[in-house]
């Protein structure tokens, strides 16, 4: 029995589908300890947008560690934090005319969500939050309450309350008007819907099955929130940092959320880091009212700032993401067309792409076939029925081609053509 | 206006008491950007037990980064995780005859607590948890529900339920028997106490004011839990990893908790990492029922394993912590005796020490005076009335002396002798 | 200042619209202390289906009191309870092929609802309940949680949880398919909807604005509940006891709810009494697990049994209710047609009828005008925009005519024709 | 199989211990249908303080019914309500210098409690309530949340939250100071106790086992509430209306609660009726914010007013209750002394008396033995270990003697002397 089997809890999941021991990683590739390379279309579930061990960030990181820069600093002032804030302001906020204030909520995306929900409730004096069908926002009780997956919800062991799910865009395949039910409940003082403090939304639902909300739907949601005095929280933990093209996934829609949650690829190097951005007038916290040990991990600040300077000083990455995303999208559509009887659906935006099968068993077999061929992809969606492609944004055109070939072969192997 | 004032949320707290910008750190010292050194009796709120940028860990860390070891791996198998688990088993669990299974709950202590509470509820089918007066377990909704501080609780914006506080050891100054109220409520089927899934406890309450539970009290609590079929969770996030002497703070009491939460100094280098250790028969999770992005930060695993090999292969650190702790305790008692009119109290165990003042204003002034003299200490306790000493465990005897001199001078300056 | 103004809480409401002191009542009429008669189209909010002080029931009641029959008996066996149960079985259950068991839940409708919800949760092990937009089920916390009106919900002072509102029949004016949203959420394991223990529904929403669910919708709901293993609770507190024609309002739909709540007109004389009827296999209570002081009010049992014998031994009352209801419905439709610019809507079924105005102000003025003319009617609906007609089922044809004339005049006075 | 067995839910309880069918009742006696008389030391669980079918009240009741006085009137003004309010003011409030306003909360005691809790939360903006060990306040979710009995709490099917139990007077047999734990938690901002809106208390816990709080304890509680800005709610549903001697059970302590809940014997005749009395400045309800169908049952108002006139115009009943109570208390103490090895305890105040056994089995056997001998008594307490005596206040001295003789014989039969 391996030490993993002996010691690690049954809750582990990824290692079940990919039963090898990984050792090194570089760019778009992971290497098992036997040296076998795997092309990574998973990218740390979106935490490695700039690739594994990105050399530019690696250089800055090692320099910082070597010179004994402060590593851990809670919310003290540090040179590293100053550089981060200045770079965030200069490269990200100002060019987009955003004047957010910054909360350091803790190390992970769930912390960014918990801080946003707490603040939204404190500001409005209301407890209830609107989430969307098939949302994923994290595993801590506050974040889990607004997450859709029933298996994960059961893990809470307590009834998850204070959240009401509304249909995400296209939940009824476009047959019914957007927000019909939501706005009717809000307008009707007898509806029984507790007045919501906030709406929390992903612009593209990654865990939910690569469901990409339309631009008009997002605008409609922002308008609805404004009309009803509800705070709009965009959870950009997975779709931010360029995953869909622009730094913030909501830019294309031209909306300005009241709060934004960032994490995953924020540090750029896979080191835990998260931010909650808030409208300045919402900054009503007492000092220390929300805190935590891992809010000032300077190595993450160093790589985050370096990533912003490297990738967000111009629009090259954004253009490249769009181009590669469209290429992948077209290839997936090709598969849809090639297997009409399988009733596949190609989904997604930018480099968050999905291929939906009729059931999770098929999608799982495609991922297993890809793994055998040296490609890492996971499934998502309520029934794990969507093959999910989240490659590093920095993958080369050759790696796009390589990945698509393996996907093609894997689908072929499973659908039996 | 600095970038900090412009961009950072009002929720920031440490930077208010220490309004300098830190740059570098080594061992027991932080250096401001103007080069001024500060002796650190705060140690990242207990996250830096082995000192800042510990050279042994730093070497292992840089080597790992330089050779492009996998950085971010969710719960995939990695060489780094295997080494961590083997070292944990070899250096920590086996010598203590503990057979825990290991959950990687997410990056921070609150994740370790959330996972423990979720699992305790799932296992028992009960929702309620017993916490203790002045407990601190984290800021996410699940963890915050079992945290005492009312200001932090108000930050939740929702009523925090499913937890009932019981008096911590010495809450009534030893006048009344331990667990009198708690056990009476459990034994009385008409008491109105919801049957608890678990008790969560810190052996020494750091944020609560350096309240050290007695050995007998801890044993009594473990017995009570066993008698009533309640799971015992020790939150060793701050007091584990040698803070009180032994690796686990509960070792001295000879108890075996059903679950243990670890974080803070676990990685040893200040990089986010947390573990929840559980009795093997409690491992009833479904795969993926609890997950999260930052559960496989290999650099943290590397430094964690290296720290275990370096500091926990023998009992030198443990002995040294006890010795230095006793020296500091004696010095604090000296201050208590020197200022009888001030009614001070010396508190703590190992290198978690406190000096309690009659109010928070005095304690705050002492910390401010110490800061002026180049020493970092924070206050804790419900009214911030306790000056809290959490130096790195690796501080030298000279640094003990240096710190005590500054504390002496600072108390002197405030109490006006 | 009257004793009412001096002593009675501001929460009083009916006395605001009808500022007279009532003294006597008989049949369809109330008499103020100055002798002025009022035709009663309100009927104790549905509690007086057989009219005020119905002489048949009155005779039985006085006889029972005079002979010192047990008045108050909790859940002891009494002659009066035996007669009630036998009559219920003989006149109501058996003819309808219903084999419900009977809970005596407490004196009022809210008790019947609380008992049903508690039992549904106990039986299924789930906490969540589905209610409908504009539902009204009572003012105690359990019943209020499934009630729609936001003003009344605010009165709780705690967040009302464990309930999710679904659109009632015609909520979107028939444009979208029934249960579209509800069933989609149930079928989607990622929807975020907590699995419901039960659905609670009124077949006609009285307080919600006299919204009558269609027969097909009710059947569809019953089917949906069966398919998904959700218990169906019909709250027949206001619409039962013949209000819509048959004894149970759901009879027309041919469905058999898992639980039925009865109260209001159950005793027939206005004395508090309630029942919860349950499918026999759901009777999993421990003895005394639900109890209460006023569960055995024998005078109410006496009048209830007498009412069943008198009015439910044949179908005369049912036919008469339908006929009078249709006459009133036609008259209301006449008003709709007569005032096209006012965009009125005629609503309801049986003798639960409503005339919806464009706003609450107009509806309130119509009720005030009717009061001046000697007719009692109240408004209902989320904005009090519906004039609600709930006359005694026993009103005479002449009283129908009299009431309709006053309504006609009142609408005329307000809409200015 | 009887109709009871066929139709009535298993939740029934009293009929299990007293398997006869009662028919008539008068004064202190119930008569089974076979004519057998039972001396009633149960009195409708305290709902029949003036005896069964009290002739003075009966006369007023029949007169009212015969003259067709309004029976059911929601919260409309009626002649009957005016008389009730004037009599309440004249006979009860003014003589005691109480200026409460009156809420008609619904028909039963649970409604009175629900209204009080809702209003306390609305007034203070806090959700949490302090209840006491072994409290009983009702079976609806709001009332059940502050009730102690674990079996009844399990019946809720949802976690009961927003309440924290504190030790009732003598919970630790007087060894520890009153309110030690409660006030320490309130004073400690780190205690984790949610700030309470209100304390709800019974001066004598009937269902909890006839635990009579001391006068000093009640005063201490009232002081504590005042000091901390917490509303004090006295639930006088069972102990009010003279059960302990004075009309309100708290009079002896000289305290003025912020809210008082009344029901049970309020109508005097066993007809459902309840009131919530509130400090005038707390009357912040919106009209209709709390409502309900059975808030204006005029027959109950008629008997209630008549009972106040008859029994509360002087202090005769109060004196008589005290005298009879002391006689019974002395007799119970005699049993305690006569059976030293049985370790009995005599408990109670006024005509709420109890004899505590070492376990519920013994107490149950005593009640069964008494039933065989023609005396009705029930058990109470968390383990049903207390034989509870709640005779009508109007029982004669002869009936006192008769009852005590049966009790004596029954205890003798069980304890085997």
């Amino acid at each position: 029995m391996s030490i993993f089997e002996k010691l690690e809890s049954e809750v582990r999941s990824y290692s079940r589908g990919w039963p090898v021991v990984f050792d090194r990683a570089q760019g778009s590739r992971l290497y098992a300890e036997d040296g076998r390379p795997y092309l990574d279309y998973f990218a740390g579930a979106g935490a490695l947008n700039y690739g594994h061990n990105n050399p530019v960030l690696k250089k800055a990181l090692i320099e910082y560690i070597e010179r004994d820069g402060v590593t851990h600093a809670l919310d003290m002032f540090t040179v590293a934090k100053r550089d981060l804030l200045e770079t965030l302001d200069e490269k990200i906020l100002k060019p987009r005319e955003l004047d957010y204030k910054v909360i350091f909520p803790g190390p992970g995306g769930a912390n960014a969500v918990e801080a946003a929900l707490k603040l939204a409730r404190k500001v409005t004096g209301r407890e209830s939050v609107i989430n969307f069908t098939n949302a994923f926002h994290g595993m801590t009780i506050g974040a889990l309450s607004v997450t859709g997956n029933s298996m994960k919800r059961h893990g809470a062991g307590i009834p998850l309350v204070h959240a009401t799910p509304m249909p995400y865009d296209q939940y009824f395949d476009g047959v019914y008007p957007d927000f019909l039910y939501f706005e009717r409940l809000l307008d009707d003082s007898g509806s029984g819907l507790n007045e919501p403090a906030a709406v929390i939304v992903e612009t593209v639902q990654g865990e939910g099955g690569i469901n990409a909300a339309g631009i008009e739907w997002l605008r409609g949601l922002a308008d609805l929130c404004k009309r009803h005095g509800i705070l709009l929280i965009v959870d950009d933990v997975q779709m931010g940092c360029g995953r869909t093209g622009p730094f913030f996934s909501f830019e294309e829609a031209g909306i300005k959320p009241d709060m934004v949650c960032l994490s995953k690829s924020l540090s750029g190097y896979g080191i835990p880091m998260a931010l909650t951005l808030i409208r300045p007038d919402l900054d009503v916290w007492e000092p220390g009212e929300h805190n935590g040990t891992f809010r000032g991990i300077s190595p993450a600040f160093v790589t985050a700032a370096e990533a912003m300077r490297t990738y967000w000083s111009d629009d090259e990455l954004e253009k490249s993401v769009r181009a590669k995303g469209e290429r992948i999208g077209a290839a997936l559509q090709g598969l849809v067309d090639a297997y009409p009887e399988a009733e596949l659906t190609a989904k997604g935006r930018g480099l968050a792409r999905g291929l939906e099968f009729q059931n999770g068993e098929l999608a799982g077999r495609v991922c297993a076939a890809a793994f055998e061929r040296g490609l890492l992809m996971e499934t998502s969606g309520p029934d794990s029925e969507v093959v999910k492609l989240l490659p590093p944004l920095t993958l080369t055109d050759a790696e796009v081609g390589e990945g698509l070939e393996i996907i093609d072969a894997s689908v072929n192997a499973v659908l039996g053509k």
Side-chain angles (χ1 to χ4, degrees), chain A:
Chain A
M1 187 168 66
S2 77
I3 189 74
F4 299 116
E5 285 165 326
K6 182 182 164 199
L7 246 67
E8 195 172 359
S9 162
E10 292 302 319
V11 80
R12 68 186 175 79
S13 60
Y14 288 106
S15 54
R16 297 172 190 272
W18 303 330
V20 295
V21 180
F22 294 99
D23 182 21
R24 289 178 310 109
Q26 224 305 304
S28 306
R29 277 179 221 274
L30 277 155
Y31 299 87
E33 60 180 339
D34 63 4
R36 186 167 179 193
Y38 290 86
L39 184 59
D40 187 3
Y41 269 43
F42 168 62
L48 296 163
N49 281 5
Y50 312 115
H52 289 270
N53 300 327
N54 182 296
V56 180
L57 311 186
K58 174 178 172 177
K59 184 163 173 289
L61 176 62
I62 288 182
E63 276 175 18
Y64 189 79
I65 296 173
E66 282 187 333
R67 80 165 183 83
D68 280 333
V70 170
T71 299
H72 179 282
L74 287 116
D75 67 5
M76 292 144 76
F77 293 151
T78 58
V79 168
K81 184 158 82 172
R82 183 166 58 203
D83 183 46
L84 170 77
L85 289 172
E86 284 173 351
T87 310
L88 176 73
D89 203 29
E90 193 68 33
K91 300 296 182 191
I92 307 296
L93 299 182
K94 277 188 192 158
R96 290 161 182 83
E97 291 179 12
L98 297 168
D99 63 348
Y100 292 127
K101 290 193 80 174
V102 176
I103 298 168
F104 294 90
N111 302 96
V113 169
E114 293 261 347
L117 295 178
K118 285 165 71 171
L119 187 59
R121 285 160 167 156
K122 184 178 161 78
V123 166
T124 61
R126 305 174 203 149
E127 296 89 3
S128 189
V129 170
I130 296 297
N131 60 338
F132 288 97
T133 50
N134 289 294
F136 182 94
H137 299 291
M139 288 295 107
T140 51
I141 292 297
L144 187 53
S145 296
V146 290
T147 289
N149 186 286
S150 64
M151 185 265 282
K152 295 192 195 307
R153 290 175 73 84
H154 278 135
I158 52 172
L160 295 173
V161 297
H162 303 309
T164 306
M166 289 291 157
Y168 195 70
D169 191 19
Q170 301 293 319
Y171 199 61
F172 302 113
D173 304 320
V175 179
Y176 307 103
D178 297 341
F179 314 116
L180 175 76
Y181 182 52
F182 186 8
E183 191 141 28
R184 182 80 174 79
L185 289 186
L186 288 172
D187 284 338
D188 177 359
S189 71
S191 70
L193 183 75
N194 290 330
E195 202 181 5
V199 163
I200 185 163
V201 68
E202 302 153 279
T203 62
V204 180
Q205 296 181 322
E207 300 306 307
I210 307 290
N211 308 311
I215 296 309
E216 286 311 313
W217 188 86
L218 290 169
R219 281 183 195 148
L221 180 61
D223 287 350
L224 179 154
C225 286
K226 197 161 287 178
R227 275 199 306 282
H228 291 275
I230 303 169
L231 296 174
L232 177 61
I233 304 170
V234 168
D235 179 342
D236 233 7
V237 166
Q238 190 169 69
M239 294 301 149
C241 304
R243 174 55 58 188
T244 67
F247 185 83
F248 294 114
S249 72
F250 54 80
E251 290 179 40
E252 219 174 332
I255 62 174
K256 295 200 178 178
D258 300 298
M259 301 190 193
V260 182
C261 302
L262 291 173
S263 183
K264 288 204 184 251
S265 284
L266 189 60
S267 81
Y269 206 77
I271 307 172
M273 179 182 165
L275 293 180
T276 307
L277 307 179
I278 59 169
R279 244 174 50 203
D281 60 300
L282 303 178
D283 190 19
V284 300
W285 293 112
E286 298 289 314
E289 197 171 359
H290 178 88
N291 64 9
T293 299
F294 294 118
R295 289 172 300 136
I297 303 307
S298 308
F301 292 175
V302 165
T303 53
E306 192 66 18
M308 290 175 197
R309 276 188 292 265
T310 306
Y311 292 104
W312 299 103
S313 293
D314 57 35
D315 64 357
E316 267 186 52
L317 181 67
E318 179 172 349
K319 282 184 184 166
S320 154
V321 168
R322 286 190 205 277
K324 288 178 285 195
E326 278 160 29
R327 180 177 165 198
I328 292 176
L332 296 179
Q333 188 56 45
L335 285 168
V336 172
D337 298 340
Y339 297 90
E341 73 290 350
E343 297 182 51
L344 308 179
T345 311
K347 308 170 82 176
R349 177 181 299 150
L351 280 169
R353 295 284 167 174
L355 185 62
E356 185 175 320
F357 289 77
Q358 285 301 302
N359 57 60
E361 195 258 330
L362 284 175
R365 281 171 56 201
V366 168
C367 287
F371 176 72
E372 282 169 30
R373 287 161 177 77
L375 180 70
L376 302 181
M377 294 188 305
E378 69 164 337
T379 59
S380 74
D383 301 313
S384 305
E385 76 280 21
V386 178
V387 171
K388 180 171 130 189
L389 289 72
L390 286 186
L393 309 185
T394 52
L395 89 169
T396 63
D397 287 338
E399 286 163 347
V400 172
E402 185 185 342
L404 290 176
E405 268 176 47
I406 297 178
I407 292 168
D408 201 68
S410 303
V411 172
N412 207 341
V414 170
L415 295 185
K417 200 162 178 171

PDB file of all heavy atoms in Angstrom, chain A residues 315-327:
ATOM      1  N   ASP A 315      -2.099  44.455 -24.870  1.00  0.00           N
ATOM      2  CA  ASP A 315      -3.226  43.538 -25.088  1.00  0.00           C
ATOM      3  C   ASP A 315      -2.819  42.287 -25.863  1.00  0.00           C
ATOM      4  O   ASP A 315      -3.672  41.610 -26.439  1.00  0.00           O
ATOM      5  CB  ASP A 315      -4.383  44.266 -25.770  1.00  0.00           C
ATOM      6  CG  ASP A 315      -4.000  44.750 -27.159  1.00  0.00           C
ATOM      7  OD1 ASP A 315      -2.826  44.563 -27.557  1.00  0.00           O
ATOM      8  OD2 ASP A 315      -4.873  45.330 -27.825  1.00  0.00           O
ATOM      9  N   GLU A 316      -1.542  41.980 -25.845  1.00  0.00           N
ATOM     10  CA  GLU A 316      -1.089  40.812 -26.608  1.00  0.00           C
ATOM     11  C   GLU A 316      -1.661  39.513 -26.067  1.00  0.00           C
ATOM     12  O   GLU A 316      -2.151  38.676 -26.817  1.00  0.00           O
ATOM     13  CB  GLU A 316       0.435  40.729 -26.601  1.00  0.00           C
ATOM     14  CG  GLU A 316       1.038  41.418 -27.813  1.00  0.00           C
ATOM     15  CD  GLU A 316       2.534  41.207 -27.876  1.00  0.00           C
ATOM     16  OE1 GLU A 316       2.979  40.032 -27.794  1.00  0.00           O
ATOM     17  OE2 GLU A 316       3.248  42.218 -27.981  1.00  0.00           O
ATOM     18  N   LEU A 317      -1.597  39.347 -24.747  1.00  0.00           N
ATOM     19  CA  LEU A 317      -2.109  38.097 -24.168  1.00  0.00           C
ATOM     20  C   LEU A 317      -3.614  37.971 -24.454  1.00  0.00           C
ATOM     21  O   LEU A 317      -4.104  36.926 -24.863  1.00  0.00           O
ATOM     22  CB  LEU A 317      -1.845  38.022 -22.670  1.00  0.00           C
ATOM     23  CG  LEU A 317      -2.338  36.726 -22.012  1.00  0.00           C
ATOM     24  CD1 LEU A 317      -1.548  35.517 -22.504  1.00  0.00           C
ATOM     25  CD2 LEU A 317      -2.256  36.805 -20.490  1.00  0.00           C
ATOM     26  N   GLU A 318      -4.301  39.077 -24.251  1.00  0.00           N
ATOM     27  CA  GLU A 318      -5.752  39.059 -24.488  1.00  0.00           C
ATOM     28  C   GLU A 318      -6.073  38.611 -25.916  1.00  0.00           C
ATOM     29  O   GLU A 318      -6.922  37.732 -26.122  1.00  0.00           O
ATOM     30  CB  GLU A 318      -6.333  40.452 -24.215  1.00  0.00           C
ATOM     31  CG  GLU A 318      -7.824  40.510 -24.467  1.00  0.00           C
ATOM     32  CD  GLU A 318      -8.469  41.829 -24.028  1.00  0.00           C
ATOM     33  OE1 GLU A 318      -7.799  42.635 -23.329  1.00  0.00           O
ATOM     34  OE2 GLU A 318      -9.640  42.043 -24.374  1.00  0.00           O
ATOM     35  N   LYS A 319      -5.362  39.195 -26.880  1.00  0.00           N
ATOM     36  CA  LYS A 319      -5.600  38.830 -28.289  1.00  0.00           C
ATOM     37  C   LYS A 319      -5.280  37.359 -28.531  1.00  0.00           C
ATOM     38  O   LYS A 319      -5.995  36.653 -29.244  1.00  0.00           O
ATOM     39  CB  LYS A 319      -4.740  39.689 -29.205  1.00  0.00           C
ATOM     40  CG  LYS A 319      -5.281  41.091 -29.418  1.00  0.00           C
ATOM     41  CD  LYS A 319      -4.382  41.813 -30.424  1.00  0.00           C
ATOM     42  CE  LYS A 319      -4.817  43.258 -30.616  1.00  0.00           C
ATOM     43  NZ  LYS A 319      -3.763  44.025 -31.303  1.00  0.00           N
ATOM     44  N   SER A 320      -4.178  36.946 -27.945  1.00  0.00           N
ATOM     45  CA  SER A 320      -3.728  35.570 -28.153  1.00  0.00           C
ATOM     46  C   SER A 320      -4.732  34.582 -27.549  1.00  0.00           C
ATOM     47  O   SER A 320      -5.016  33.532 -28.127  1.00  0.00           O
ATOM     48  CB  SER A 320      -2.343  35.414 -27.516  1.00  0.00           C
ATOM     49  OG  SER A 320      -2.088  34.094 -27.154  1.00  0.00           O
ATOM     50  N   VAL A 321      -5.268  34.933 -26.373  1.00  0.00           N
ATOM     51  CA  VAL A 321      -6.263  34.058 -25.751  1.00  0.00           C
ATOM     52  C   VAL A 321      -7.492  33.937 -26.643  1.00  0.00           C
ATOM     53  O   VAL A 321      -8.021  32.847 -26.865  1.00  0.00           O
ATOM     54  CB  VAL A 321      -6.650  34.588 -24.357  1.00  0.00           C
ATOM     55  CG1 VAL A 321      -7.888  33.870 -23.827  1.00  0.00           C
ATOM     56  CG2 VAL A 321      -5.481  34.434 -23.388  1.00  0.00           C
ATOM     57  N   ARG A 322      -7.909  35.073 -27.156  1.00  0.00           N
ATOM     58  CA  ARG A 322      -9.092  35.038 -28.032  1.00  0.00           C
ATOM     59  C   ARG A 322      -8.825  34.158 -29.261  1.00  0.00           C
ATOM     60  O   ARG A 322      -9.652  33.341 -29.645  1.00  0.00           O
ATOM     61  CB  ARG A 322      -9.431  36.449 -28.510  1.00  0.00           C
ATOM     62  CG  ARG A 322     -10.048  37.314 -27.456  1.00  0.00           C
ATOM     63  CD  ARG A 322     -10.572  38.615 -28.122  1.00  0.00           C
ATOM     64  NE  ARG A 322     -10.639  39.699 -27.159  1.00  0.00           N
ATOM     65  CZ  ARG A 322     -11.653  39.886 -26.317  1.00  0.00           C
ATOM     66  NH1 ARG A 322     -12.665  39.039 -26.312  1.00  0.00           N
ATOM     67  NH2 ARG A 322     -11.650  40.893 -25.470  1.00  0.00           N
ATOM     68  N   ALA A 323      -7.673  34.360 -29.850  1.00  0.00           N
ATOM     69  CA  ALA A 323      -7.360  33.630 -31.085  1.00  0.00           C
ATOM     70  C   ALA A 323      -7.282  32.126 -30.822  1.00  0.00           C
ATOM     71  O   ALA A 323      -7.913  31.313 -31.516  1.00  0.00           O
ATOM     72  CB  ALA A 323      -6.033  34.135 -31.662  1.00  0.00           C
ATOM     73  N   LYS A 324      -6.543  31.764 -29.769  1.00  0.00           N
ATOM     74  CA  LYS A 324      -6.413  30.339 -29.471  1.00  0.00           C
ATOM     75  C   LYS A 324      -7.754  29.761 -29.029  1.00  0.00           C
ATOM     76  O   LYS A 324      -8.102  28.626 -29.375  1.00  0.00           O
ATOM     77  CB  LYS A 324      -5.337  30.128 -28.410  1.00  0.00           C
ATOM     78  CG  LYS A 324      -3.928  30.366 -28.948  1.00  0.00           C
ATOM     79  CD  LYS A 324      -2.836  30.214 -27.890  1.00  0.00           C
ATOM     80  CE  LYS A 324      -2.792  31.392 -26.961  1.00  0.00           C
ATOM     81  NZ  LYS A 324      -1.560  31.464 -26.154  1.00  0.00           N
ATOM     82  N   GLY A 325      -8.486  30.557 -28.310  1.00  0.00           N
ATOM     83  CA  GLY A 325      -9.797  30.104 -27.870  1.00  0.00           C
ATOM     84  C   GLY A 325     -10.717  29.832 -29.042  1.00  0.00           C
ATOM     85  O   GLY A 325     -11.442  28.831 -29.080  1.00  0.00           O
ATOM     86  N   GLU A 326     -10.676  30.731 -30.012  1.00  0.00           N
ATOM     87  CA  GLU A 326     -11.545  30.521 -31.172  1.00  0.00           C
ATOM     88  C   GLU A 326     -11.116  29.290 -31.969  1.00  0.00           C
ATOM     89  O   GLU A 326     -11.961  28.557 -32.483  1.00  0.00           O
ATOM     90  CB  GLU A 326     -11.571  31.782 -32.040  1.00  0.00           C
ATOM     91  CG  GLU A 326     -12.573  32.790 -31.468  1.00  0.00           C
ATOM     92  CD  GLU A 326     -12.328  34.217 -31.953  1.00  0.00           C
ATOM     93  OE1 GLU A 326     -11.810  34.377 -33.072  1.00  0.00           O
ATOM     94  OE2 GLU A 326     -12.650  35.154 -31.173  1.00  0.00           O
ATOM     95  N   ARG A 327      -9.821  29.100 -32.053  1.00  0.00           N
ATOM     96  CA  ARG A 327      -9.328  27.918 -32.761  1.00  0.00           C
ATOM     97  C   ARG A 327      -9.828  26.641 -32.064  1.00  0.00           C
ATOM     98  O   ARG A 327     -10.328  25.709 -32.717  1.00  0.00           O
ATOM     99  CB  ARG A 327      -7.802  27.943 -32.793  1.00  0.00           C
ATOM    100  CG  ARG A 327      -7.223  26.750 -33.524  1.00  0.00           C
ATOM    101  CD  ARG A 327      -5.713  26.815 -33.628  1.00  0.00           C
ATOM    102  NE  ARG A 327      -5.164  25.526 -34.014  1.00  0.00           N
ATOM    103  CZ  ARG A 327      -3.898  25.157 -33.866  1.00  0.00           C
ATOM    104  NH1 ARG A 327      -3.030  26.018 -33.319  1.00  0.00           N
ATOM    105  NH2 ARG A 327      -3.494  23.960 -34.244  1.00  0.00           N
TER     106      ARG A 327
END
